[in-house]
Amino acid sequence: MATEPRQPVTDQETLIERRRELQAVDAAFRELRRTTDGVPRTRRKGLLAFTGSAGLGKTALLTEARARAMAHRFTVLSGRGSETEQGAAFRVVRQLMQPSLARMDERELRVFLGSWYDTVAAVLGLEATGPAPAPDPTGVREGLDWVMTRLTVKKDPVVLLLDDLHWTDPESLSWLASFAPRVDDLPLLIVVAYRPDELPPEAGGLRALVGDHGNRPHNLAVLTPEGVTRIVRSEVGEAAEDGFCKECWSATGGSPFEAVELAIGLAERNLGGTGDDLPAMRELAAAIKGPGLIERLERLGTTTVRFAQTAAVLGSPFSPELAGTIAVLGDEAVGEATEKLRAARILADGHGHEGELEFVHPLIATTIYRSIRTGFRTGLHNTAAQAVLAAGYGPAKAARHLLEVPCEDRPETVACLREAAREYLRAGATEAARRLLTRALQEPPLPEDRAAVLHELACATFLIEPTATVRHLRQALAQPHVDPDLRASIVYRLTTAMAHTDQLAEAVDVAAEEARQATNPRVKLRMQADQFVWSMVRPDDHDSPTRSRTLARLAEQLPGRSLEERYILGLRAWDAAMRGEPRETSLAYADKALRGGMSWTDENRGFEVPLSVALVFMYGDQPRRAEELFAKGIAECLAKGWHGSHLAFGQTIAGYIRYRRGCLAEAENTVREGLRIADKVDGVVAAQWFGVSILIKTLLARGRVSEARAFADGHHFGETPVNAVIYPDPRTVYAELLLAEGRHAEAARLLAAVGEWLDGRGWRNPAWCPWQLRLASALAPAAPEEAVAHAEEAVRRAREFGAASAVGQALHTLAEVTAGPAAVDLYAQAVDHLEQSPAAYELARAQIGHGAALSRGGRLQEAADRLYQGLEGAVHCGAEALAARAREELSAAGLRPLPLRYPQADTLTAQELRTARLTVQGQPVAVVAKELRLTEQGVRQLLSRVYRKLGTDATGLAGFLEARHRPRP
């Protein structure tokens, strides 16, 4: 099978002296055929490259590769770059994929593309469903990866041919460079041809990949005199003299294209190849390209010249009817010009279904285009833009021509460029949109539209050049009479860009000034929310307590009816949690903020507040609620085609929630996936810091200290200062690593600095940052009294917050740094609190610590119970080192581990469900125990399992029981 071919339109015999290259093609095809059900049997070299200057036969070589691929019954997908259409985003991608997709009806297409349909719709020229989302470049690349992989699996084996790669649009090149490393795992061969000296910067990755795939590019050499002789004699006869043929070689420079064109011209003139024919031969050779070609064209007549020039402006392939309209030629004149240009071997029929024409060779098109006088060429581009729009080809096609036209202060030009830029943004082609909007500003737009154009340009440059985004948005704010909603969006994007360029203080100042100036109450609230967001992210905010008081007063007055009010309420919930106010306060504000809805993908508001609201539930011992909110937010991002920074943040912090629940293996996998996404996106430094902190913390919990150290060193963790508030706090996490390595003094110094910073901001919640707990552990060997004082203060703060997990962890640390029998009682209290929380890993730690203390006190039976419980919890959490410690403690006490039970993570047994329901009804533990014929301790253990399975404490239990939980048989 094959798609509609895009082979060259000549029958040139240019494969002389190309045996080595053809052998490489055949070898690659043999490897491609060695597949079983689409799975390569051996690792293949899936990328083959041919390079050389213009006219050396690259296109002819790819044509032969196509023919041989089709003889093997491979599927062939092909595309070709165009010198005049490099600015058309994803042009080559469409050439590759559209023919296969065009064969599917609407239903087949939607099934084939699945959830990626809307993400890639604009890229592939499909009709999107509903309001078209604006996917990020990462999402577009992954969507195209999916489409190409699906096409390969459906049509395997597949050969993908790309000619004139040096003229491929940057967006297609970027995708190809990211996709090419995957071809070794697919029944797919990519064959490319390009001029190496003309490859754009975007092809750097692809150039490197060619070398990585085992063979260097096959550099095409010029033909030898013997090769040119064969070509000449194949056309004019074997009687052509040796001296004549050698002069032909000299005149053509050994170029296969020129040699073939010259030989055909000799045959058409009935020249025999003698010495007498040398002057005519040299005349023919000069007319193949350059000035000689233009002279030959001009001899065909003015009308034909104008038609050829118009064709060069349009680029191959082109519609002869459209070219006639632009050149102001009737149908008869177009037909005559076409026939003359065919006879002169300048044009030939294309291979589409619409009667398009192509230039015989790109060299011809380039020569004609560059020969057009500048003023006339500009006029042709201007006329072409109007004709393209009138013919229904769309703004993006017209915009390519407008880029070649001088600025003339025309609003219709600005409108066309803006609409084309929107098309590109919907396709994730931000660089292409930037080019068009930059040109629109130069036109220039009407004064009342200038702020909007600057805003659109800033949106296009944010992922490419955030410093330019700041500049554009400052200019937009300086425009007079800006619409209030547009102004609010400008401020949000400006402060966001500043935050991403280490200008957090300036971001806060901009939002504060806009809030002061705003007269519209709704806009004022929105500006205040932006101010609070960046103040909280800013690590050096010295006025944090005052801002918190202002936020608290403001939130008290808001019912939460509008989105602006809900954002303020969400920020109040987060601030209350950070400050360690009673968790009932922060949870109440979080619930209130969510009542009217809060999107993670509002392009004019960001995801910081919805994310923070979700984490309030995590810190408040309701991590399952946080997970549900994160799942919804991640689904929003995926549905919108956002597979970059938003998804990286979502994945990494979702891993932190799993960590807090004690699902350490899942946490590690989730965080690693988030880091993988972040590594693919330029400039996502914050997401990487979140991920690195969380992963190190998870590795330490699993007992893999050496791996945590190697990972930290690989990311310069602990060395590079972080200019934003990250959680878990990177310095505290690094101190935990130091403690695990036994470097207590270094950890203590670092944690003391963290404590001074957080106390200065009024952030006192140990559930958010347990710096006091780690400091107590660091000080215990050398300063036990000071360690106890820090631990006791942490317990007091945890009790003020009121989350059972926070209190339990603080009591556990206090027990660890307390000497004597008092520690046993503190351990028991820690276990009691942690049993009332969903923190499975921390519970296992406390149980093992309690069991060890009981064992040292000679209470072996009680110790055994605790150690068995802790061992089971540690194994279930994936905390290998903690489980090993439990076994060691059991062995030291003369006990052997019992067979472990592995409860299903989230499914309640009938007994657990009954216990939960009675508890929600308000029944005391004693009544529940009597009802179920259990001891009170047995009921508490059942409830503890319920909390861990459901990911909530008692206060959130009723909400989760509203969903159906089927008992296990």
Side-chain angles (χ1 to χ4, degrees):
M1 295 176 58
T3 64
E4 286 303 318
R6 287 189 52 76
Q7 56 194 18
V9 292
T10 74
D11 53 358
Q12 300 172 3
E13 185 187 345
T14 55
L15 296 181
I16 291 173
E17 298 181 351
R18 295 292 181 253
R19 177 181 299 176
R20 180 177 63 90
E21 290 79 8
L22 291 173
Q23 287 174 342
V25 170
D26 289 338
F29 284 176
R30 284 194 298 271
E31 285 194 0
L32 183 61
R33 182 167 285 285
R34 296 193 191 107
T35 60
T36 303
D37 296 328
V39 179
R41 292 176 181 172
T42 58
R43 187 168 181 81
R44 300 178 298 99
K45 296 168 184 175
L47 187 60
L48 187 61
F50 298 103
T51 67
S53 57
L56 289 187
K58 299 182 295 298
T59 296
L61 194 57
L62 260 61
T63 301
E64 180 63 20
R66 169 190 294 280
R68 297 189 182 197
M70 295 177 71
H72 282 288
R73 301 187 65 81
F74 295 160
T75 298
V76 179
L77 308 177
S78 56
R80 186 174 189 175
S82 168
E83 183 179 19
T84 57
E85 294 194 71
Q86 284 178 274
F90 295 111
R91 175 180 177 273
V92 170
V93 164
R94 291 189 180 190
Q95 290 178 352
L96 293 173
M97 300 183 187
Q98 274 185 339
S100 296
L101 299 177
R103 293 185 174 88
M104 303 179 192
D105 60 30
E106 182 72 11
R107 185 190 63 80
E108 290 177 314
L109 198 55
R110 292 189 177 279
V111 171
F112 182 79
L113 296 179
S115 62
W116 289 102
Y117 186 96
D118 284 335
T119 300
V120 299
V123 176
L124 299 176
L126 307 176
E127 184 177 349
T129 56
D136 59 29
T138 304
V140 170
R141 284 198 300 270
E142 293 190 355
L144 293 175
D145 286 355
W146 166 261
V147 176
M148 182 55 70
T149 301
R150 288 272 287 157
L151 286 174
T152 300
V153 171
K154 182 178 180 180
K155 298 173 176 289
D156 74 290
V158 173
V159 176
L160 192 156
L161 301 176
L162 279 168
D163 198 6
D164 288 335
L165 187 74
H166 50 282
W167 286 335
T168 298
D169 60 274
E171 290 76 17
S172 294
L173 272 177
S174 175
W175 168 73
L176 186 64
S178 69
F179 178 75
R182 303 180 56 184
V183 299
D184 288 343
D185 301 319
L186 292 169
L188 172 67
L189 173 68
I190 298 177
V191 186
V192 299
Y194 57 89
R195 303 176 191 172
D197 295 337
E198 297 182 34
L199 271 182
E202 293 83 4
L206 195 64
R207 189 199 295 265
L209 278 172
V210 172
D212 290 343
H213 276 65
N215 293 325
R216 292 183 177 180
H218 294 269
N219 297 313
L220 304 188
V222 297
L223 297 180
T224 64
E226 292 75 17
V228 173
T229 297
R230 287 177 59 188
I231 293 174
V232 171
R233 285 175 176 167
S234 70
E235 292 291 337
V236 304
E238 294 297 326
E241 298 174 357
D242 290 343
F244 178 86
C245 292
K246 190 168 184 179
E247 287 297 319
C248 289
W249 173 79
S250 178
T252 60
S255 163
F257 164 69
E258 294 184 44
V260 169
E261 289 295 315
L262 176 59
I264 293 173
L266 292 171
E268 290 175 346
R269 295 271 290 270
N270 296 316
L271 301 177
T274 66
D276 294 338
D277 296 326
L278 285 175
M281 181 275 292
R282 293 190 180 102
E283 179 185 344
L284 286 172
I288 293 172
K289 65 176 185 178
L293 170 63
I294 301 305
E295 290 175 9
R296 179 158 61 99
L297 174 63
E298 289 175 345
R299 288 197 291 270
L300 299 179
T302 304
T303 298
T304 303
V305 169
R306 190 160 74 248
F307 184 76
Q309 291 174 335
T310 303
V313 165
L314 287 173
S316 290
F318 66 92
S319 161
E321 291 79 12
L322 181 63
T325 299
I326 297 167
V328 197
L329 298 176
D331 293 342
E332 185 177 346
V334 167
E336 291 177 0
T338 300
E339 289 307 314
K340 288 181 180 180
L341 292 168
R342 278 200 189 101
R345 298 184 57 76
I346 291 174
L347 289 182
D349 292 335
H351 294 273
H353 297 292
E354 300 177 1
E356 293 180 325
L357 298 173
E358 291 186 348
F359 283 96
V360 166
H361 195 279
L363 278 173
I364 296 174
T366 299
T367 300
I368 294 174
Y369 182 80
R370 293 177 181 175
S371 72
I372 306 172
R373 288 178 289 105
T374 302
F376 185 57
R377 186 169 65 226
T378 297
L380 283 176
H381 276 297
N382 188 40
T383 305
Q386 298 174 38
V388 163
L389 275 177
Y393 287 96
K397 288 280 189 182
R400 175 178 80 80
H401 296 287
L402 291 175
L403 291 175
E404 306 298 329
V405 176
C407 302
E408 295 180 350
D409 197 18
R410 295 192 302 175
E412 59 271 22
T413 295
V414 175
C416 179
L417 292 168
R418 290 176 70 184
E419 185 55 39
R422 293 187 194 105
E423 286 186 24
Y424 283 146
L425 286 175
R426 286 194 291 270
T430 52
E431 173 59 31
R434 182 196 64 78
R435 291 193 298 269
L436 298 182
L437 290 166
T438 299
R439 172 64 178 78
L441 273 177
Q442 296 166 351
E443 183 65 14
L446 296 171
E448 57 267 30
D449 293 332
R450 185 171 179 79
V453 176
L454 284 164
H455 176 256
E456 291 165 11
L457 177 58
C459 294
T461 59
F462 180 74
L463 294 176
I464 306 169
E465 192 181 357
T467 53
T469 299
V470 172
R471 183 173 65 255
H472 298 320
L473 291 171
R474 283 193 179 280
Q475 293 173 4
L477 279 183
Q479 302 304 307
H481 313 301
V482 179
D483 175 79
D485 286 332
L486 174 60
R487 190 174 188 88
S489 181
I490 291 170
V491 171
Y492 165 71
R493 292 184 180 276
L494 175 58
T495 55
T496 302
M498 287 176 163
H500 281 76
T501 53
D502 290 335
Q503 301 177 67
L504 277 169
E506 291 86 344
V508 173
D509 291 342
V510 167
E513 179 61 27
E514 288 295 319
R516 280 192 292 270
Q517 292 182 7
T519 56
N520 184 302
R522 181 174 57 82
V523 173
K524 187 178 187 69
L525 269 181
R526 181 173 173 181
M527 295 299 98
Q528 288 174 312
D530 286 348
Q531 178 187 358
F532 288 127
V533 165
W534 303 122
S535 296
M536 291 178 181
V537 174
R538 179 182 171 187
D540 59 345
D541 182 16
H542 303 296
D543 202 23
S544 182
T546 302
R547 293 191 198 279
S548 294
R549 289 192 293 270
T550 301
L551 179 58
R553 288 194 299 269
L554 181 60
E556 285 177 358
Q557 307 167 20
L558 302 177
R561 286 189 291 267
S562 68
L563 188 58
E564 289 77 15
E565 291 182 356
R566 292 195 295 275
Y567 266 61
I568 293 292
L569 295 173
L571 288 165
R572 171 68 176 116
W574 177 250
D575 190 58
M578 300 273 279
R579 291 174 60 78
E581 295 180 36
R583 71 178 185 136
E584 293 79 9
T585 301
S586 58
L587 290 174
Y589 276 113
D591 275 321
K592 194 174 180 181
L594 292 173
R595 280 174 197 160
M598 191 176 284
S599 172
W600 288 49
T601 57
D602 187 327
E603 295 183 36
N604 291 319
R605 297 181 189 274
F607 65 97
E608 290 83 5
V609 175
L611 182 147
S612 299
V613 170
L615 290 180
V616 168
F617 292 100
M618 180 189 76
Y619 292 120
D621 276 354
Q622 295 183 22
R624 181 66 168 270
R625 179 84 182 277
E627 286 180 325
E628 291 174 349
L629 292 169
F630 264 77
K632 180 182 177 184
I634 289 173
E636 277 189 58
C637 293
L638 292 174
K640 202 160 188 175
W642 292 2
H643 291 249
S645 59
H646 288 70
L647 191 59
F649 270 105
Q651 286 287 136
T652 52
I653 303 179
Y656 189 33
I657 303 174
R658 299 306 288 169
Y659 165 85
R660 298 276 299 200
R661 288 190 65 177
C663 306
L664 302 183
E666 293 178 45
E668 180 181 345
N669 291 337
T670 304
V671 176
R672 287 190 187 279
E673 174 62 13
L675 284 170
R676 183 193 68 80
I677 296 169
D679 288 341
K680 295 193 304 181
V681 184
D682 294 333
V684 189
V685 178
Q688 290 169 331
W689 280 119
F690 276 91
V692 170
S693 288
I694 297 164
L695 185 55
I696 290 174
K697 198 171 181 70
T698 304
L699 292 173
L700 292 175
R702 304 196 72 181
R704 286 147 58 185
V705 178
S706 298
E707 187 177 345
R709 166 52 67 184
F711 186 74
D713 290 346
H715 288 78
H716 305 287
F717 192 74
E719 304 170 15
T720 307
V722 181
N723 191 26
V725 174
I726 305 291
Y727 33 89
D729 173 60
R731 289 188 293 174
T732 303
V733 172
Y734 189 69
E736 291 176 10
L737 176 58
L738 294 174
L739 285 173
E741 295 172 329
R743 298 160 65 179
H744 290 75
E746 294 173 69
R749 288 194 295 272
L750 185 56
L751 289 162
V754 172
E756 183 179 356
W757 169 59
L758 290 177
D759 280 351
R761 297 196 65 150
W763 292 351
R764 302 174 182 275
N765 190 352
W768 183 81
C769 182
W771 69 270
Q772 283 181 306
L773 306 181
R774 307 297 177 254
L775 181 56
S777 300
L779 293 172
E785 293 183 0
E786 191 176 349
V788 169
H790 278 291
E792 289 177 339
E793 174 61 16
V795 170
R796 185 187 67 78
R797 293 183 179 187
R799 291 188 189 280
E800 287 181 356
F801 181 57
S805 62
V807 177
Q809 289 179 62
L811 286 168
H812 182 194
T813 300
L814 181 57
E816 288 179 322
V817 300
T818 299
V824 177
D825 181 58
L826 290 170
Y827 274 119
Q829 293 181 49
V831 170
D832 181 60
H833 278 84
L834 288 165
E835 283 181 336
Q836 301 173 56
S837 82
Y841 168 66
E842 294 297 338
L843 173 60
R845 284 186 64 234
Q847 287 170 330
I848 293 169
H850 189 203
L854 289 168
S855 178
R856 288 191 295 270
R859 298 159 63 178
L860 294 184
Q861 185 57 51
E862 296 173 80
D865 289 342
R866 276 290 187 245
L867 289 170
Y868 286 140
Q869 292 169 359
L871 174 58
E872 186 175 89
V875 170
H876 186 67
C877 289
E880 296 93 341
L882 184 60
R885 181 194 168 195
R887 294 188 181 98
E888 291 170 3
E889 293 288 353
L890 285 166
S891 178
L895 302 167
R896 292 192 306 175
L898 296 173
L900 300 177
R901 301 184 303 275
Y902 296 92
Q904 190 171 338
D906 293 330
T907 303
L908 299 183
T909 64
Q911 191 178 45
E912 289 167 348
L913 182 58
R914 178 67 175 153
T915 303
R917 285 174 173 165
L918 290 170
T919 301
V920 167
Q921 292 170 10
Q923 301 296 341
V925 171
V927 173
V928 177
K930 184 177 180 180
E931 177 78 19
L932 299 179
R933 298 180 181 180
L934 296 171
T935 63
E936 293 186 15
Q937 181 59 27
V939 172
R940 293 190 183 93
Q941 290 179 355
L942 280 174
L943 283 173
S944 180
R945 288 203 294 270
V946 168
Y947 298 145
R948 282 176 278 143
K949 286 183 177 183
L950 295 186
T952 186
D953 63 355
T955 59
L957 191 57
F960 284 106
L961 289 182
E962 292 177 3
R964 294 181 180 179
H965 291 278
R966 294 184 178 178
R968 220 173 23 180

